[in-house]
């Protein structure tokens, strides 16, 4: 699905103008139809005969897991995938005539279900991989000793985090390098590495050995539950900063520059780049806070402060743009353009005389 999605997005990019508006709708419609058809074929070959077994195995694995904050939501995802599978199989089992309008309508109707499997099928696959039995974890005095060493190394700046994931029981697992006296040991921590509750649960010969001994990762969460990577809405038209700057360079009147600045600060459906930048900072701050870690909260606070600064900057730029437009001014004529094409000399024009060469006189004594 990722390959199919990239291919269709490449085609869709060619159907849009420089502002992101679709101008070649027939080509865009045909590209989406090819995408839908390819997705149905891929599902038929790879998942159609195995989806029921996969979901059943995922449900069994989920029933055996200890209670956690995410288990109820995972169960809902599995139930939703079962509904999507049934809808896809209805089209697979009762296909319309190949190449017909009815087939295109079938595939368009089933595309959201195919996208759901592409987005969330990994949750079912990860659950079926939870049969792996991790190695016993450190306990007691040994666990506390390694935790103290890791905390001391972190204060020295010698605890290098390498990889992090969540296990099915909801714990955050982090693999790190513990450096002491120029020697390195691979360790695993459970919990937020910057939090007081974090503890070392094992040490290993290398990162691969750690991965084999530790609980398997599950699919990461999502920032917003209603967002789909494979079923994105039509992009909103927008003007880039590069284009606005070019408009300013080519401008002759203050009103033209004022309009470019006002476009950059516009608040609406087609918001300007400065407003989009503020939205980016706000959303990134929400993501950092959703990490539920010490560093995540710290970064979220920084991004929130930067977002407020951009909001203030946007207001200042907007006011400056209005003031510039109120000047009712144009550039003075002495700012003359430099001609890129120069006139050639006429054919009957005599070439200029060469400069007189002065030969130095040699004196003999």
């Amino acid at each position: 699905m990722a390959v199919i999605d990239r291919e269709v997005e490449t085609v869709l990019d060619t159907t849009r103008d420089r502002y992101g508006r679709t101008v070649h709708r027939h080509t865009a419609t045909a590209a989406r139809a090819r995408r839908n058809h390819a997705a149905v074929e891929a599902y038929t070959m790879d998942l159609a005969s195995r989806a029921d077994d996969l979901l059943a195995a995922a449900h069994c694995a989920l029933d055996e897991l200890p209670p956690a904050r995410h288990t109820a939501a995972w169960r809902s995802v599995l139930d939703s995938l079962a509904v999507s599978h049934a809808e896809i199989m209805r089209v697979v089992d009762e296909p319309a005539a190949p190449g017909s309008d009815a087939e295109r309508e079938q595939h368009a109707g089933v595309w959201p279900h195919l996208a759901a499997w592409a987005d969330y099928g990994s949750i079912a696959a990860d659950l079926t991989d939870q049969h792996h039995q991790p190695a016993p974890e450190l306990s007691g005095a040994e666990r506390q000793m390694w935790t103290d060493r890791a905390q001391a190394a972190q204060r020295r700046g010698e605890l290098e985090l390498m990889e992090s994931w969540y296990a099915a029981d909801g714990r955050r697992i982090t693999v790190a390098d513990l450096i002491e006296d120029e020697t390195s040991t691979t360790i695993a921590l459970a919990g937020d590495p910057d939090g007081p509750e974090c503890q070392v649960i094992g040490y290993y010969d290398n990162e691969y050995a750690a991965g084999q001994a530790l609980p398997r990762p599950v699919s990461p969460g999502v920032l917003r539950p209603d967002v789909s990577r494979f079923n994105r809405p039509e992009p909103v038209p927008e003007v880039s900063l590069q284009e606005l700057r070019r408009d300013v360079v080519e401008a002759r009147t203050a009103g033209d520059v004022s309009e470019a600045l006002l476009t950059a600060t516009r608040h609406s459906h087609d918001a300007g780049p400065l407003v989009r930048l503020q939205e980016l900072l706000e959303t990134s701050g929400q993501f950092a806070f959703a990490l539920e870690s010490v560093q995540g909260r710290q970064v979220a606070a920084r991004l929130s402060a930067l977002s407020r600064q951009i909001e203030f900057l946007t207001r200042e730029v907007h006011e400056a743009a209005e003031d510039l437009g109120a000047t009712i001014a144009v550039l003075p004529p002495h700012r003359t353009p430099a001609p890129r094409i120069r006139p050639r000399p006429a054919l009957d024009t005599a070439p200029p005389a060469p400069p007189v060469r002065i030969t130095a006189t040699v004196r003999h004594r």
Side-chain angles (χ1 to χ4, degrees), residues 60-184:
C60 289
L62 188 57
D63 292 338
E64 296 174 0
L65 294 178
R69 292 170 59 186
H70 49 259
T71 50
W74 278 355
R75 201 174 301 279
S76 296
V77 169
L78 295 180
D79 293 340
S80 177
L81 289 176
V83 173
S84 291
H85 173 64
E87 289 297 318
I88 298 169
M89 292 310 298
R90 184 177 57 82
V91 170
V92 171
D93 294 336
E94 301 175 6
S100 65
D101 291 340
E103 183 190 52
R104 285 189 286 273
E105 289 179 7
Q106 271 190 338
H107 292 174
V110 83
W111 167 251
H113 300 288
L114 294 162
W117 268 93
D119 281 317
Y120 314 126
S122 59
I123 293 178
D126 289 339
L127 281 168
T128 61
D129 195 33
Q130 295 304 315
H131 57 77
H132 167 74
Q133 291 296 324
E137 299 178 1
L138 297 178
S139 60
E142 188 179 21
R143 182 175 187 144
Q144 187 60 49
M145 182 266 291
W146 277 97
T147 300
D148 292 341
R149 291 170 63 179
Q151 291 174 346
Q154 188 175 38
R155 288 191 293 269
R156 298 192 306 270
E158 294 183 329
L159 184 68
E160 297 181 358
L161 307 184
M162 295 187 292
E163 186 179 6
S164 182
W165 68 85
Y166 277 89
D169 60 4
R171 290 186 304 167
R172 177 181 170 183
I173 307 295
T174 303
V175 178
D177 263 346
L178 172 62
I179 302 172
E180 296 173 308
D181 300 326
E182 299 184 356
T183 63
S184 176

